[in-house]
Every structure is written in C-alpha cells, then in structure tokens.
Amino acid sequence: MGFFKDLSEQRKGLWIFLPILGLYVFSYFQRSAVPGQIFTQLSEEGFSAEQIATISASFILVYSLSQLVVGMLADKFSGVRVVLLGGLLLGLGSLFMPMCRSLAMINFCRIVMGFGGSTMYLCLVKETDRLFGRKNFSIFLSIIYCVGYIGGMFGTLPFVWLCQKYEWRNVLLVIGAITLLAYFILVAVIAIRREPFAPVADIPLTFKPLLAIMRNPYSWLMLFCSSVNFGIYYVIQSFCGKKFLEDCGNFSSEEASAVIMFLTLSCMLTISGVGVVIKLIGNRRRPMMRIASSINLFSTVLMLATLYFRQLPSWLFVPGYLLYACASGFAMAYTMTSQEMNSRDLITTATGFNNMGNYLFVAAGSFFIGKLLDSFIKVPVAAGQAVIYPREAYIAVFCILLGISFTSFCLMLLAPETRGHYLHLKSKNI
C-alpha cells in the first residue's frame, strides 16, 4: 500500500518513465528475437551460420561497448537527454533493417539499433533514481526487468507465429514503425508536459572512474562469472537455441519457439524472486551467486550428456534450457556485488562495466559458435534449403561451454561476501 501511495504522489514522474520503459521493451525484443527466431528463414535466403552470427554480434557488440559511455553521459546530461538521441536511433534502425537485402546493410542497421538500444536500461535506472528516489528503487528495478522481458517473450513464439503467417520482413517493418511511434510519443509527452530536465552535472567526462574499477581484481572476477551465466543463456535465447532444438531434438519450429518463450519466462520469474530471497537471508549475495554457478554447470553437463548418449530422450533439453534461464535470473546478485566491490561513487560505471562484459560474451560467443557450426558443413547447401547441423557440431559447442562453466564455478568460490556494504566507501583512484 505504501508503494502505491508514494506512486500517486509522484505520478508526474510516470509521464517520463512509462514512454522510456516502452522503448526499452522494443530494445529488448530486437536483441532477443533477431536473428535467433528467424535463423531458418535467413538460412533459406543463403546466409551461413557465421553470417547470421554477425547479425546478432553487430547489435550486441555495439550495445555492450556503449554501456560505459552511456553511463557517463547519463550521469552528466541526465537519462532523458541521452534517450532522446538513443530512441531515435533505435526507431530508425528498426524501421530500415527489414528493408535491407545485403548482409552489410542489415548489419549497419543493427549497429544503429545497438547504439540506440544501449541507452535504454542505464537511462531508465538513472531517471528512476531521479524521479522516484531510493525508497522504492528496488521495486522499480524489478518492474524494469519484468517489463523488458515481456519484449523478450514476444520475440519468441508470438513473433515466430507472425513470421509464419506473414513475411518476416513485413513483421519487423511494422514493429519498427511502432518503435518509432513510441519514440515520438516520448517527444510529445516532454513537449506537452514541459517537465524540467535534470541540470547538467558539473562532472568531467573522463575514463578515470573506469580505470579505478579495472584496477580492482574483484571487478574482473564478477565480470567473468556473471558473463558466463548470462552469456550462455542469452546466446541460446537470441542466436542458436531454437535452431539447436530443431536440429537435435526434432522439435517443430512452434515447439522450439515455445521452449524459448518459457525460457524467458523462467528467467523473469527467477529475477522477481531473487531480490526477495536476498533480503530474507540478510542481504547475502555470495550464496545466490554460488547457486547460480552450480546450476549453470549442472545444466551444461545435462545438455552434453543428452547429446552424447543418444538413448537419452530429447525432452531433457527443455529442463536444461530452463536451468540456464534460472541461473541467468540471479543477475541481480552479480550486479549488486559488482557495485559493492567498488566505491559508492562509481555505481553507474560499475554497472556499465559489468553489463559490457555480459554482452561482449554474447557477441563473441554467437560469432564463435556460428563459425564452429559452419566448420562441420562440408557439402554446400543449395539456395532455399535450410542447413541442418550435425549432432557432433553441437557436442563441440557444449564441450567448450562445459570448460567455461567449470572455470566460472571454481572462481565463484573466491568471491567475497559484501552483505550489502561497499568495500571501498570512497574511491582514492579518481
């Protein structure tokens, strides 16, 4: 009840918060649905797995590297100002990408979308703190996560169903037009409501805060471990997960998309519960992170065993996928710990640094997996025919993921416990 009372008193802030949240939904859709859910269609157009991987990587790579710059810009110029540029880039890229036929132009539009989409999350966090304060910050953060995942869920079975009924380019064209409309709604709200922007902060744009974080070895430990958990889940969701179920599990396109949809739902539900559990166990983060690393390792073993031992039923891939989603759902614990292992005044930069690592893993992982899958295709496939990758190709992929998961599990044993307190209350490196 207290939350809703506070919300009614601060309802002016919702006029800014809700349009940006709407743009974040479309940003999440673009990085989740494309190209994974249209892998087969792109393959039929003659694109190889490596080329399809570049469509994913072009967005994710730019998205990840932009996190650090976006954090600094939002701290100085406010989230709204940064989103006014980012939302326009996201809308234009979303609109023009389905019109492109060449790989180079598709990737260019995805790069533009990546720049625009990278502004949404950190600017939402920044504006939430400015508009609503810290009292209900954790609740708003949960709302941001959950609403964003709605875009991810729409990018699974509903998107695939639409692409089967209509040409996939037309579907993405309509979504691009709606994205641009959402941006103009934000502009109209700002113009009509005339809400004052936050003043430009008197802070220099410098990379010294980033260097302070990079000098902390725990920053790298958290970056690697969180990137493994998030990255494996996200590569499956956005790139090769649906194709894998079709090739090795004999799933239909609709069945595979339904699994990916429940994958997203499982992650969303886990995120909703992790914050409560952390609060109940005295703000301890380390048990949650160790559980996440254990689940991730177990899931990889399960997937590899099901692939290797052909007598095991293919439906075991489904719980393996869902366990990956649950492990990724512990992301909040990693984010808070990465903040608390650095100084309080570096919270936004620390979050951007961790996010950068997560999405760099996705970009590099998608490209590497695409190249590895293509290496197992020895005979050229005729145009208009979808490529089916052999089981041995996916065994090679999951063997590599097993090594990475085991390394992450071991490193997490070295992570200290913060209990919600900053290890360095004031940075001496800035």
Side-chain angles (χ1 to χ4, degrees), residues 183-409:
Y183 170 75
F184 287 121
I185 290 174
L186 172 63
V187 174
V189 166
I190 293 173
I192 295 171
R193 301 288 300 182
R194 296 186 178 180
E195 294 290 337
F197 289 174
V200 177
D202 186 21
I203 55 175
L205 291 175
T206 173
F207 284 100
K208 286 185 178 180
L210 174 60
L211 296 176
I213 291 171
M214 294 177 68
R215 281 194 287 265
N216 184 350
Y218 287 128
S219 297
W220 292 101
L221 185 149
M222 297 308 304
L223 180 142
F224 179 80
C225 293
S226 65
S227 296
V228 169
N229 278 12
F230 176 84
I232 293 177
Y233 156 76
Y234 209 87
V235 168
I236 288 173
Q237 181 200 48
S238 64
F239 176 56
C240 65
K242 178 175 177 287
K243 180 64 173 171
F244 167 77
L245 291 176
E246 293 172 357
D247 289 351
C248 296
N250 295 320
F251 286 67
S252 67
S253 178
E254 295 88 349
E255 291 170 340
S257 294
V259 173
I260 301 297
M261 183 177 70
F262 282 105
L263 181 78
T264 309
L265 179 62
S266 298
C267 187
M268 183 174 69
L269 294 176
T270 305
I271 286 175
S272 302
V274 165
V276 177
V277 174
I278 289 176
K279 185 71 174 178
L280 292 176
I281 62 174
N283 282 325
R284 296 172 65 197
R285 285 82 160 95
R286 187 166 59 185
M288 296 291 97
M289 295 186 293
R290 288 181 175 177
I291 290 172
S293 295
S294 301
I295 292 174
N296 194 73
L297 178 59
F298 174 78
S299 182
T300 307
V301 172
L302 175 63
M303 296 291 291
L304 191 55
T306 307
L307 270 172
Y308 187 79
F309 299 104
R310 293 175 180 267
Q311 60 270 32
L312 292 176
S314 59
W315 61 260
L316 286 175
F317 293 137
V318 178
Y321 270 28
L322 298 181
L323 286 173
Y324 277 134
C326 290
S328 178
F330 287 77
M332 189 180 297
Y334 290 93
T335 299
M336 291 186 294
T337 305
S338 65
Q339 295 169 351
E340 292 156 2
M341 286 181 175
N342 290 283
S343 62
R344 187 187 300 272
D345 48 334
L346 300 182
I347 179 172
T348 307
T349 307
T351 304
F353 180 74
N354 205 60
N355 282 354
M356 177 199 68
N358 290 343
Y359 287 103
L360 274 178
F361 185 99
V362 176
S366 297
F367 182 79
F368 178 79
I369 290 173
K371 199 169 185 65
L372 183 60
L373 291 176
D374 278 340
S375 70
F376 281 82
I377 301 298
K378 305 301 182 184
V379 179
V381 178
Q385 183 179 351
V387 179
I388 298 177
Y389 296 98
R391 183 177 292 257
E392 292 74 18
Y394 291 106
I395 289 177
V397 169
F398 280 99
C399 280
I400 294 171
L401 294 182
L402 178 63
I404 296 173
S405 299
F406 180 73
T407 303
S408 174
F409 172 80

Side-chain angles (χ1 to χ4, degrees), residues 25-332:
V25 171
F26 290 107
S27 170
Y28 208 104
F29 165 82
Q30 289 290 348
R31 69 177 191 259
S32 300
V34 182
Q37 303 305 310
I38 54 172
F39 196 114
T40 299
Q41 290 92 326
L42 290 169
S43 178
E44 290 172 350
E45 290 187 11
F47 293 104
S48 67
E50 183 179 345
Q51 290 173 323
I52 296 172
T54 65
I55 298 175
S56 174
S58 58
F59 182 103
I60 297 298
L61 186 62
V62 171
Y63 186 99
S64 62
L65 294 176
S66 300
Q67 291 293 292
L68 298 174
V69 177
V70 168
M72 291 188 292
L73 292 176
D75 280 340
K76 183 171 180 65
F77 297 107
S78 83
V80 173
R81 289 188 179 93
V82 177
V83 164
L84 282 176
L85 174 61
L88 180 62
L89 293 176
L90 176 66
L92 291 175
S94 301
L95 184 66
F96 287 109
M97 179 265 185
M99 301 181 189
C100 301
R101 296 287 174 174
S102 70
L103 180 65
M105 288 306 300
I106 290 174
N107 284 338
F108 174 76
C109 290
R110 293 284 289 174
I111 288 171
V112 172
M113 275 189 274
F115 275 120
S118 68
T119 66
M120 299 304 158
Y121 173 71
L122 290 179
C123 289
L124 264 175
V125 171
K126 185 70 177 179
E127 287 304 301
T128 298
D129 184 58
R130 179 179 75 90
L131 296 170
F132 306 109
R134 301 297 295 183
K135 183 178 179 181
N136 297 308
F137 184 79
S138 61
I139 297 177
F140 276 102
L141 191 60
S142 296
I143 292 172
I144 291 169
Y145 274 120
C146 290
V147 173
Y149 272 78
I150 290 174
M153 290 182 65
F154 178 77
T156 56
L157 185 59
F159 177 59
V160 169
W161 180 81
L162 287 172
C163 289
Q164 289 178 342
K165 192 169 184 180
Y166 308 100
E167 213 273 329
W168 68 269
R169 293 180 184 275
N170 294 334
V171 176
L172 286 179
L173 191 64
V174 172
I175 292 173
I178 297 173
T179 305
L180 206 54
L181 176 62
Y183 170 75
F184 287 121
I185 290 174
L186 172 63
V187 174
V189 166
I190 293 173
I192 295 171
R193 301 288 300 182
R194 296 186 178 180
E195 294 290 337
F197 289 174
V200 177
D202 186 21
I203 55 175
L205 291 175
T206 173
F207 284 100
K208 286 185 178 180
L210 174 60
L211 296 176
I213 291 171
M214 294 177 68
R215 281 194 287 265
N216 184 350
Y218 287 128
S219 297
W220 292 101
L221 185 149
M222 297 308 304
L223 180 142
F224 179 80
C225 293
S226 65
S227 296
V228 169
N229 278 12
F230 176 84
I232 293 177
Y233 156 76
Y234 209 87
V235 168
I236 288 173
Q237 181 200 48
S238 64
F239 176 56
C240 65
K242 178 175 177 287
K243 180 64 173 171
F244 167 77
L245 291 176
E246 293 172 357
D247 289 351
C248 296
N250 295 320
F251 286 67
S252 67
S253 178
E254 295 88 349
E255 291 170 340
S257 294
V259 173
I260 301 297
M261 183 177 70
F262 282 105
L263 181 78
T264 309
L265 179 62
S266 298
C267 187
M268 183 174 69
L269 294 176
T270 305
I271 286 175
S272 302
V274 165
V276 177
V277 174
I278 289 176
K279 185 71 174 178
L280 292 176
I281 62 174
N283 282 325
R284 296 172 65 197
R285 285 82 160 95
R286 187 166 59 185
M288 296 291 97
M289 295 186 293
R290 288 181 175 177
I291 290 172
S293 295
S294 301
I295 292 174
N296 194 73
L297 178 59
F298 174 78
S299 182
T300 307
V301 172
L302 175 63
M303 296 291 291
L304 191 55
T306 307
L307 270 172
Y308 187 79
F309 299 104
R310 293 175 180 267
Q311 60 270 32
L312 292 176
S314 59
W315 61 260
L316 286 175
F317 293 137
V318 178
Y321 270 28
L322 298 181
L323 286 173
Y324 277 134
C326 290
S328 178
F330 287 77
M332 189 180 297

Side-chain angles (χ1 to χ4, degrees), residues 1-14 131-137 139-140:
M1 292 297 293
F3 168 73
F4 293 104
K5 182 180 178 181
D6 294 338
L7 194 61
S8 65
E9 295 173 353
Q10 299 168 319
R11 58 182 177 273
K12 285 185 177 181
L14 291 175
L131 296 170
F132 306 109
R134 301 297 295 183
K135 183 178 179 181
N136 297 308
F137 184 79
I139 297 177
F140 276 102

